[in-house]
Amino acid sequence: LFFRRRPQSPFLEKRLKALGDVKDVIDRVSMQHPHQRYDWGPPGSGGAEASPVSSPQPLPLLSPAGLARWLADEGRYGLLPILFGSRAHPEVLRRSGFLLRFLAREQLLTEARLGALWACGCSADKHEGLTYCVLDLLVE
């Protein structure tokens, strides 16, 4: 729940703290499951048909793949729509590179998610600093 509330805070410090907490959880989960591989189904499926290669059981949330699906969820609980939404902040975007690398490693960095990031910084009404942060993030 705090992953959902803190990033929406009007205070930058709380947003940055939430991003740091997410990074800690990703690091811990990645270290606990270093060699787990997943078959994500056909390209373009966005992970909707994801299942572990080793077993057909549902993905646990505290596995790299489960955590990635939860963070990338465009529905009710995902973090990406919050970070790259209308209240995006340049400093939060500067520090969110680990999140995109994690999603790419879990094969969930889709063209639609990159398009949302692009729209976040490159629309006409956005501040120039936000645009530079998005472009740096995409290059990284």
Side-chain angles (χ1 to χ4, degrees):
L1 185 62
F2 70 78
F3 281 147
R4 181 83 176 149
R5 285 191 178 171
R6 276 192 189 162
Q8 293 178 333
S9 173
F11 302 107
L12 178 60
E13 295 82 21
K14 287 187 178 183
R15 288 192 201 170
L16 294 176
K17 175 67 174 142
L19 201 58
D21 291 343
V22 169
K23 184 175 183 345
D24 290 344
V25 169
I26 289 173
D27 290 344
R28 286 181 185 166
V29 167
S30 295
M31 286 192 315
Q32 289 175 356
H33 304 277
H35 302 293
Q36 201 165 22
R37 290 183 19 166
Y38 290 88
D39 178 18
W40 292 103
S45 67
E49 299 173 4
S51 63
V53 171
S54 59
S55 78
Q57 300 170 355
L59 294 173
L61 178 61
L62 291 178
S63 69
L67 184 60
R69 287 181 60 198
W70 177 73
L71 290 170
D73 182 23
E74 281 93 11
R76 186 173 176 198
Y77 295 109
L79 187 63
L80 287 185
I82 296 170
L83 292 179
F84 305 146
S86 61
R87 299 187 62 216
H89 190 279
E91 189 59 34
V92 174
L93 290 177
R94 274 189 205 101
R95 297 183 189 195
S96 62
F98 74 91
L99 190 57
L100 295 179
R101 286 189 298 275
F102 176 66
L103 292 176
R105 188 173 62 233
E106 295 300 323
Q107 300 177 359
L108 287 176
L109 190 58
T110 62
E111 187 176 335
R113 291 185 181 116
L114 287 173
L117 176 60
W118 182 262
C120 167
C122 296
S123 62
D125 62 336
K126 297 295 182 179
H127 188 269
E128 184 177 306
L130 189 63
T131 301
Y132 286 130
C133 287
V134 167
L135 293 175
D136 288 342
L137 193 58
L138 288 172
V139 168
E140 184 182 310

